[in-house]
Amino acid sequence: MPKNSKVVKRELDDEVIESVKDLLSNEDSADDAFKKSELIVDVQEEKDTDVEEGSEVEDERPAWNSKLQYILAQVGFSVGLGNVWRFPYLCQKNGGGAYLLPYLILLLVIGIPLFFLELSVGQRIRRGSIGVWNYISPKLGGIGFASCVVCFFVALYYNVIIGWSLFYFSQSFQQPLPWDQCPLVKNASHTFVEPECEKSSATTYYWYREALNISSSISESGGLNWKMTICLLAAWVVVCLAMIKGIQSSGKIMYFSSLFPYVVLICFLIRALLLNGSIDGIRHMFTPELEIMLEPKVWREAAAQVFFALGLGFGGVIAFSSYNKRDNNCHFDAVLVSFINFFTSILATLVVFAVLGFKANVINEKCIAENLEMVIKLVKMGNISQDIIPHHINFSAVTAEDYHLVYDIIQKVKEEEFPSLHLNSCQIEDELNKAVQGTGLAFIAFTEAMTHFPASPFWSVMFFLMLVNLGLGSMFGTIEGIITPIVDTFKVRKEILTVICCLLAFCIGLMFVQRSGNYFVTMFDDYSATLPLLIVVILENVAVSFVYGIDKFMEDLKDMLGFAPNRYYYYMWKYISPLMLLSLLIASIVNMGLSPPGYNAWIEDKATEEFLSYPTWGMVVCISLMVLAILPVPIVFIIRRCNLIDDSSGNLASVTYKRGRVLKEPINLEGDDASLIHGKISSEMSSPNFGKNIYRKQSGSPTLDTAPNGRYGIGYLMADMPDMPESDL
């Protein structure tokens, strides 16, 4: 129904949109008071739109139901599989307890400041990664697009790992567990143990042959693994259903997916501590090797772990924080989530090494029993004299200490002949020094340990359900890092975009459930995220500290939080963090150049892993992954620097208002020294949106004064044309 003149007049009064730049540039030069005053926009409570007359109500941005839900979402995103199978490995590899010191230092220098930075810009501007960096500097808008590309690459293979966990979870409801014993093979004459399994172990065989049915090289596709294809489809269906309503649906699931892993870890720790040998594992883990801490490699790996543990650069942190109120204390959130992540890594490491200590003790007892049989056999054959065996040792009940005593005596007596005896020292430390990480820890070492647990199926179900939850928590943040920026920028329906994104990712992800799929997971893990994410975070730091201005940003934080952040962050963001990130980038490039690009292939005949180099096409894919991930940054910069695309319909920087709410964000902030303008009730201000340009020149008024940016502000039109017909408005 057509709107009458009164409605048009009221809408004009309500929806006057003033360009901040024009107001500031056309102020009376003699009005010092106005120059020094702060632009305050009153937030009006009235909402007098007439629905029956066709007026539109501005859509409100979704918000978290509670602060707890938001914290759990951030914790779920930052605490992932890496806390369970990457941190313990690095801790063992890089000096045990001594590794915790460089990790904690780098958490304070790189982790918390950059995490706080991402939380702040997301909460302040209330947009996803694309909108945030467009707002701060349109020429650096490619940072947001690069984050989306990296998120998509990571989501492709990360959900495959969730699929693997779902498969093991589904197979855990059996007694005994299917990976408990090597399978038997029958032929016409007799029954024997599967040779591939006999050469390796039951859990190793089950992982490579039963679960993955892996091929011998990345070039040998072998077709789809139907079991893993079904599991991958199930994983994407779960993610899609959880994310289809945005934070309204995923936020509720966070209560379970974020808290359940802690329940499982605590239960595992209590159970593991009651097992024989668990203390040996924990002691081994925390025994510091201070000399290793001085090596540069330790600091590089600690910095990389801090960087990826918090999910910096993915856009998920920004997306989650964009649904907060503007006056939320994001500094507290940054410190809280960072230390929860750190203590989760410590808890997971205690659990891992307690279980591995138990496993090492079981293997060590088996080793002692086998070697003791050899000693008894050698004594009976006369190769070893009975006289050298201490009289107090009873071969029917030999302890580990007794065996080591016998071993040392035989080694001294049979010094030259000792190697030919093929006796093993059976030291528990040797087993604990066999460092494993990633899938090797979760699907081989841990599964083997759980076969020795009482009620092993129950613990297996709990463990893999925990992995699924850890993975889903990170996946929600990763998908949010894709969906939120695209919805904010292109105004598409979130439900449709979520379904399309998950369907497309599943179709592309079929490459990971081929028989050679595990090798592609390794490729994407090594090359699609590491360098691109480092570059993205460096550019984020530069955009805020040097393009937007660190002083202006600190003022904005003071307005938003109600207090001035510690000057510590000022120096971190401006000097220390950029230098540390640049050093990490250079070290990563050098390390990547020195390390031959390749993967560990499973050789069926040998039943062992063997390092193979990527074929030529594989190298092209590796390079393409890194280039595609970072390519949006220079493309967007060139397009906007050279004005290759007409942007007259709406730009990205000056702030405009509707009823005291930020409504649109036209034009370029570069050169504008004004901070982000804020309202009296900042927490209720809606987010910046892209909108149509509201400037136009009245026909027949060639002498009308223009704003310095060459456009005509509606404020000047109204002042100069009081009799302007309502139809023209």
Side-chain angles (χ1 to χ4, degrees):
M1 146 174 194
K3 299 179 182 178
N4 57 38
S5 59
K6 291 183 179 180
V7 175
V8 173
K9 180 68 175 175
R10 184 174 60 201
E11 289 184 351
L12 177 62
D13 293 339
D14 287 346
E15 298 183 17
V16 170
I17 299 176
E18 300 176 329
S19 168
V20 176
K21 276 188 163 185
D22 293 348
L23 284 176
L24 294 177
S25 59
N26 286 272
E27 63 191 25
D28 185 354
S29 59
D31 191 355
D32 293 332
F34 178 79
K35 286 183 178 180
K36 296 177 181 178
S37 66
E38 184 180 20
L39 180 57
I40 304 294
V41 185
D42 291 324
V43 180
Q44 300 179 14
E45 295 296 330
E46 64 187 82
K47 294 183 179 179
D48 53 354
T49 53
D50 296 329
V51 178
E52 68 276 11
E53 293 183 346
S55 60
E56 296 179 358
V57 181
E58 181 189 354
D59 291 332
E60 293 292 337
R61 187 170 184 80
W64 296 102
N65 291 336
S66 66
K67 180 66 174 284
L68 176 61
Q69 191 181 87
Y70 164 68
I71 292 295
L72 290 177
Q74 290 286 17
V75 169
F77 177 50
S78 65
V79 175
L81 298 173
N83 296 76
V84 175
W85 67 32
R86 175 77 177 158
F87 186 90
Y89 162 77
L90 291 174
C91 194
Q92 177 191 23
K93 176 185 173 185
N94 295 315
Y99 172 77
L100 299 179
L101 181 59
Y103 183 88
L104 191 57
I105 292 173
L106 291 168
L107 181 67
L108 296 173
V109 173
I110 293 181
I112 294 178
L114 294 176
F115 194 59
F116 181 30
L117 179 80
E118 290 200 357
L119 289 178
S120 301
V121 295
Q123 180 175 308
R124 181 63 173 176
I125 302 173
R126 300 195 62 157
R127 275 290 174 265
S129 55
I130 295 176
V132 160
W133 304 113
N134 272 336
Y135 187 86
I136 286 179
S137 174
K139 292 176 185 175
L140 293 178
I143 297 174
F145 289 98
S147 292
C148 289
V149 173
V150 173
C151 279
F152 187 71
F153 284 161
V154 171
L156 287 177
Y157 73 86
Y158 204 88
N159 224 25
V160 176
I161 301 174
I162 298 177
W164 294 342
S165 302
L166 284 173
F167 173 76
Y168 268 80
F169 172 74
S170 67
Q171 298 298 307
S172 297
F173 296 90
Q174 303 178 44
Q175 177 68 28
L177 291 169
W179 51 83
D180 185 48
Q181 299 290 334
C182 283
L184 299 176
V185 180
K186 296 180 181 180
N187 61 14
S189 58
H190 63 286
T191 302
F192 58 93
V193 176
E194 169 64 49
E196 185 181 2
C197 183
E198 192 173 22
K199 293 176 184 177
S200 53
S201 69
T203 51
T204 304
Y205 173 82
Y206 190 87
W207 166 241
Y208 284 116
R209 190 55 52 213
E210 297 293 337
L212 300 181
N213 193 19
I214 200 165
S215 62
S216 297
S217 73
I218 196 172
S219 301
E220 182 186 337
S221 169
L224 290 179
N225 180 339
W226 67 268
K227 292 181 289 188
M228 288 305 171
T229 303
I230 293 174
C231 291
L232 179 64
L233 177 62
W236 276 116
V237 168
V238 171
V239 171
C240 184
L241 293 176
M243 298 298 299
I244 198 164
K245 292 292 184 181
I247 62 171
Q248 280 81 8
S249 53
S250 65
K252 295 178 176 61
I253 299 174
M254 287 296 178
Y255 287 110
F256 180 76
S257 65
S258 297
L259 294 176
F260 180 73
Y262 291 96
V263 175
V264 176
L265 286 174
I266 292 172
C267 290
F268 257 98
L269 181 60
I270 295 172
R271 183 68 190 92
L273 289 175
L274 299 176
L275 296 171
N276 186 31
S278 60
I279 302 301
D280 294 328
I282 294 176
R283 186 189 300 116
H284 178 81
M285 176 256 169
F286 280 107
T287 301
E289 299 178 37
L290 299 177
E291 64 279 2
I292 296 180
M293 194 176 67
L294 302 177
E295 298 179 8
K297 181 186 68 171
V298 174
W299 291 83
R300 178 180 63 80
E301 293 187 344
Q305 178 63 15
V306 166
F307 185 84
F308 293 111
L310 294 176
L312 300 174
F314 283 95
V317 172
I318 294 176
F320 280 150
S321 66
S322 71
Y323 298 111
N324 269 333
K325 293 182 178 180
R326 287 184 185 272
D327 57 357
N328 174 62
N329 188 350
C330 55
H331 174 256
F332 172 80
D333 301 341
V335 176
L336 177 64
V337 173
S338 297
F339 277 101
I340 288 177
N341 187 293
F342 175 67
F343 288 117
T344 303
S345 297
I346 299 296
L347 175 62
T349 301
L350 287 171
V351 172
V352 167
F353 275 91
V355 172
L356 291 182
F358 164 70
K359 170 178 171 281
N361 195 270
V362 170
I363 294 175
N364 195 58
E365 288 178 355
K366 184 180 178 181
C367 174
I368 290 174
E370 292 175 350
N371 282 269
L372 191 60
E373 289 181 4
M374 293 179 62
V375 171
I376 295 173
K377 185 177 180 180
L378 290 171
V379 170
K380 289 180 178 179
M381 293 173 60
N383 293 345
I384 298 177
S385 173
Q386 177 70 46
D387 297 334
I388 67 173
I389 306 297
H391 299 293
H392 70 277
I393 293 179
N394 181 6
F395 280 138
S396 61
V398 176
T399 63
E401 291 76 11
D402 291 341
Y403 172 75
H404 293 145
L405 177 60
V406 171
Y407 178 86
D408 291 338
I409 293 173
I410 295 175
Q411 188 177 27
K412 292 177 181 178
V413 173
K414 299 285 186 178
E415 186 174 352
E416 295 181 358
E417 302 175 19
F418 185 77
S420 63
L421 299 178
H422 303 293
L423 293 176
N424 195 313
S425 63
C426 297
Q427 296 289 338
I428 196 170
E429 287 77 13
D430 295 338
E431 190 64 34
L432 288 170
N433 283 327
K434 294 178 182 178
V436 288
Q437 64 161 324
T439 54
L441 175 64
F443 299 108
I444 297 177
F446 230 82
T447 51
E448 183 176 348
M450 284 186 294
T451 59
H452 302 290
F453 276 31
S456 55
F458 168 78
W459 294 105
S460 183
V461 167
M462 294 285 282
F463 176 71
F464 289 109
L465 187 57
M466 178 190 72
L467 290 189
V468 169
N469 277 274
L470 285 172
L472 286 176
S474 297
M475 273 298 295
F476 293 155
T478 304
I479 298 298
E480 198 70 55
I482 303 171
I483 301 297
T484 297
I486 295 177
V487 169
D488 289 344
T489 305
F490 301 105
K491 307 303 178 189
V492 296
R493 285 192 61 184
K494 177 166 284 189
E495 295 87 350
I496 296 175
L497 179 62
T498 302
V499 172
I500 292 174
C501 179
C502 292
L503 184 61
L504 177 63
F506 169 72
C507 293
I508 298 175
L510 291 176
M511 67 185 293
F512 300 108
V513 289
Q514 305 173 94
R515 290 185 58 201
S516 59
N518 187 46
Y519 307 138
F520 285 97
V521 171
T522 301
M523 175 190 289
F524 271 66
D525 191 33
D526 290 341
Y527 292 97
S528 68
T530 308
L531 290 182
L533 277 180
L534 272 173
I535 294 172
V536 164
V537 176
I538 291 172
L539 291 174
E540 287 180 356
N541 199 162
V542 169
V544 171
S545 299
F546 302 102
V547 178
Y548 182 74
I550 189 65
D551 295 304
K552 193 193 308 183
F553 185 64
M554 295 294 285
E555 285 298 317
D556 291 338
L557 288 179
K558 183 178 180 181
D559 292 337
M560 182 172 70
L561 301 176
F563 63 88
N566 195 290
R567 293 293 288 180
Y568 167 81
Y569 293 103
Y570 178 92
Y571 296 110
M572 289 295 106
W573 288 330
K574 190 168 185 179
Y575 303 111
I576 307 300
S577 294
L579 290 175
M580 294 289 289
L581 288 172
L582 193 59
S583 301
L584 180 58
L585 177 63
I586 295 171
S588 299
I589 293 174
V590 171
N591 182 67
M592 191 172 289
L594 295 177
S595 303
Y599 60 100
N600 290 317
W602 179 256
I603 309 301
E604 182 176 356
D605 297 337
K606 301 177 181 177
T608 56
E609 285 187 335
E610 184 176 306
F611 183 82
L612 299 179
S613 298
Y614 287 116
T616 304
W617 64 264
M619 288 301 303
V620 172
V621 173
C622 293
I623 296 172
S624 299
L625 288 173
M626 292 187 288
V627 172
L628 286 173
I630 208 65
L631 196 59
V633 175
I635 288 179
V636 172
F637 181 84
I638 293 171
I639 287 175
R640 290 179 175 166
R641 180 70 178 83
C642 302
N643 294 320
L644 299 180
I645 296 180
D646 181 23
D647 202 24
S648 60
S649 62
N651 282 310
L652 303 166
S654 66
V655 184
T656 51
Y657 296 89
K658 171 183 176 182
R659 294 199 195 110
R661 294 172 176 248
V662 180
L663 181 67
K664 300 179 179 167
E665 42 179 55
I667 330 185
N668 197 341
L669 261 181
E670 295 181 37
D672 185 0
D673 292 331
S675 299
L676 300 175
I677 309 302
H678 62 280
K680 285 182 179 178
I681 309 179
S682 58
S683 64
E684 296 179 2
M685 293 166 67
S686 67
S687 55
N689 291 302
F690 301 114
K692 293 183 179 180
N693 200 306
I694 52 82
Y695 301 103
R696 71 179 185 86
K697 182 178 178 180
Q698 185 203 20
S699 59
S701 301
T703 59
L704 182 67
D705 291 343
T706 64
N709 56 15
R711 297 178 182 267
Y712 298 83
I714 194 169
Y716 305 118
L717 289 174
M718 291 180 63
D720 292 347
M721 294 171 290
D723 299 325
M724 186 176 185
E726 290 180 347
S727 60
D728 285 350
L729 293 174

